[in-house]
Amino acid sequence: MKLLCPVVCSLLLLTRVWPRAEAASFTLETAAAHALGHNADLAAARFGIEEARGRFQQSGRLANPALGSELKPGVNGREGGASIGFMQRFPLTSRLRLERQVSAKLLTVAEAEVRDAERRLAAQVRTAAVQVLALEAQLALKERQLANNRALGALARKIAGTGEGPTLDALQFDLEAQHLVVQSLQLDSARTAVVGGLLPLLGLAGTETIEFTDPLPEPAATVPDAPISGQRPDYQAAQARTEAARQAVVLARANRWEDAEAGLFGAVDRTEDVPAGLRTDGFVGLRFSLPLPFWNQNQGRVHEATATAARAMKEAEALASRIRAEAAAAEAEMRAAARLAGHLTNVLLPQAVQLEERLTRFHHEGQSPLADTLRAREKRLQMEAIRLDAVRDFHLARVRLLAATGTILTDPKAP
């Protein structure tokens, strides 16, 4: 067991340090910015804007004119006729203008949806980055625990060698060291899993490694109220979608009248008049066709568009309510985590350190058993682990707050 612990610890240190020698370095802010520029799914989503822009460019255009001709040769004689005409369809209502307005709003929706994809991607990257930094902090804590355990184990073995103490103390330290190594391996495995999910978000290959240069900052003493504005992209998309649906109702009503058709034509007729013979007559005229809304008044499309507009309005209202709830919950979680981290840092941990130091001194003087020292150190390290979890929870809640308020893309400074 004495030989196994240093070997396992060395392997753990090697697996954590050696692959990162050429790792890509990021901070919380630069990681999100890198993802926005290199994420493959986001790059594909941006083509949705070009699709909507193409639909906008195509909307509101007149139908192409039609050129028609007619030839009527005589069957039993030299009589016959021919005509050629030019026809153009045009709307009787403001349908083309309304189509262009609807397409413009849908273009706004597409742009807002891409910005919302960027918001969600930035939140995912920041969340994963916080988890990685939190796991690394826990790993560093385990390493300090292991170093402290080795020092106490060496002291216990030295005392046992002089016959002044039992060898059981040294075995207890060795067993605790093995437990710490297992915990470190579990934390390192969890970090590997989080990094594996983060790499495709950053647009990196699965074989690459990353590291974060800055640790998680301590939580702010006070958490200011987060302003709720209408800048969140999915809410802007919902508003634009609602406006487009309203305009679609007007468009559906305008489509009750189908396009009229007007044109210019010319015709030539050859007739035979006895005894005068063949005579050729030429004509130039106008054609006009007006469809009448007798059987189809587009009632179904109007009803559908009205229901779509009502649904879009309700969805926008529900989203606004959900945004306020998400922001309030994240803000409350930040305050709770900040209070817990502050209480542990300023009150409990200093008391735990003092108690551990006193028990260690008493044990060296033979006034206290080793078990008391071990229990005190375990409590102190548990408090330190809880403090690290509180710092992690604070920053995870902060990411959720920034995502809920739509300010995560503005790269705010960490508190």
Side-chain angles (χ1 to χ4, degrees), residues 19-356:
R20 301 186 197 178
E22 298 181 358
S25 298
F26 297 102
T27 64
L28 288 176
E29 286 74 20
T30 60
H34 186 276
L36 294 179
H38 297 82
N39 184 267
D41 292 330
L42 185 59
R46 289 192 175 107
F47 282 102
I49 297 177
E50 299 307 316
E51 294 173 358
R53 182 171 288 113
R55 289 189 292 269
F56 171 69
Q57 293 173 352
Q58 187 61 32
S59 64
R61 295 177 180 270
L62 284 171
N64 288 326
L67 180 65
S69 63
E70 184 180 40
L71 180 62
K72 299 185 294 181
V75 178
N76 298 319
R78 294 178 293 174
E79 296 180 335
S83 65
I84 185 170
F86 176 86
M87 301 296 294
Q88 174 65 57
R89 296 176 59 193
F90 60 91
L92 297 174
T93 62
S94 57
R95 175 179 62 83
L96 299 182
R97 177 179 58 83
L98 292 171
E99 285 181 356
R100 194 160 182 83
Q101 289 178 352
V102 171
S103 295
K105 286 299 179 182
L106 293 178
L107 174 58
T108 302
V109 170
E111 292 172 343
E113 287 177 343
V114 171
R115 291 197 304 272
D116 188 59
E118 293 174 349
R119 176 188 69 88
R120 289 183 279 107
L121 176 62
Q124 285 181 286
V125 171
R126 284 181 180 242
T127 298
V130 168
Q131 292 172 341
V132 170
L133 289 171
L135 288 169
E136 289 180 348
Q138 291 283 5
L139 276 167
L141 175 63
K142 295 301 178 186
E143 290 175 359
R144 293 200 305 270
Q145 290 180 250
L146 193 56
N148 187 39
N149 181 275
R150 287 175 178 173
L152 291 176
L155 179 60
R157 282 189 290 272
K158 180 179 179 181
I159 294 174
T162 59
E164 300 178 359
T167 58
L168 183 61
D169 290 348
L171 294 177
Q172 287 179 334
F173 281 117
D174 289 338
L175 181 61
E176 185 180 0
Q178 296 298 323
H179 182 61
L180 290 172
V181 169
V182 171
Q183 290 179 333
S184 297
L185 290 173
Q186 290 175 332
L187 290 171
D188 193 65
S189 176
R191 181 193 180 279
T192 301
V194 175
V195 171
L198 181 58
L199 287 174
L201 298 179
L202 293 171
L204 300 176
T207 57
E208 298 186 58
T209 57
I210 60 174
E211 64 178 3
F212 292 93
T213 56
D214 297 335
L216 289 176
E218 291 297 315
T222 58
V223 179
D225 294 334
I228 304 298
S229 64
Q231 299 304 313
R232 187 161 138 167
D234 55 346
Y235 182 67
Q236 293 177 336
Q239 288 181 313
R241 196 178 290 110
T242 300
E243 184 60 29
R246 289 171 179 168
Q247 293 175 351
V249 175
V250 182
L251 177 60
R253 289 172 179 162
N255 283 335
R256 289 175 175 175
W257 287 89
E258 298 181 11
D259 290 354
E261 190 173 22
L264 179 68
F265 73 94
V268 175
D269 280 340
R270 296 185 64 188
T271 59
E272 186 173 3
D273 189 11
V274 180
L278 289 175
R279 187 179 67 181
T280 302
D281 297 319
F283 303 92
V284 175
L286 297 175
R287 283 198 181 102
F288 182 77
S289 174
L290 177 64
L292 300 177
F294 285 169
W295 321 123
N296 180 13
Q297 296 186 2
N298 216 32
Q299 298 98 327
R301 295 294 176 85
V302 172
H303 183 81
E304 177 187 3
T306 303
T308 300
R311 178 169 59 86
M313 183 178 64
K314 291 298 182 181
E315 288 176 347
E317 293 174 357
L319 178 59
S321 178
R322 188 163 62 250
I323 288 173
R324 289 191 293 269
E326 289 176 2
E331 196 173 337
E333 291 175 15
M334 285 180 64
R335 289 196 172 96
R339 287 195 300 269
L340 177 58
H343 186 66
L344 286 167
T345 301
N346 301 322
V347 179
L348 295 183
L349 277 173
Q351 294 177 358
V353 170
Q354 291 178 1
L355 177 61
E356 183 182 352

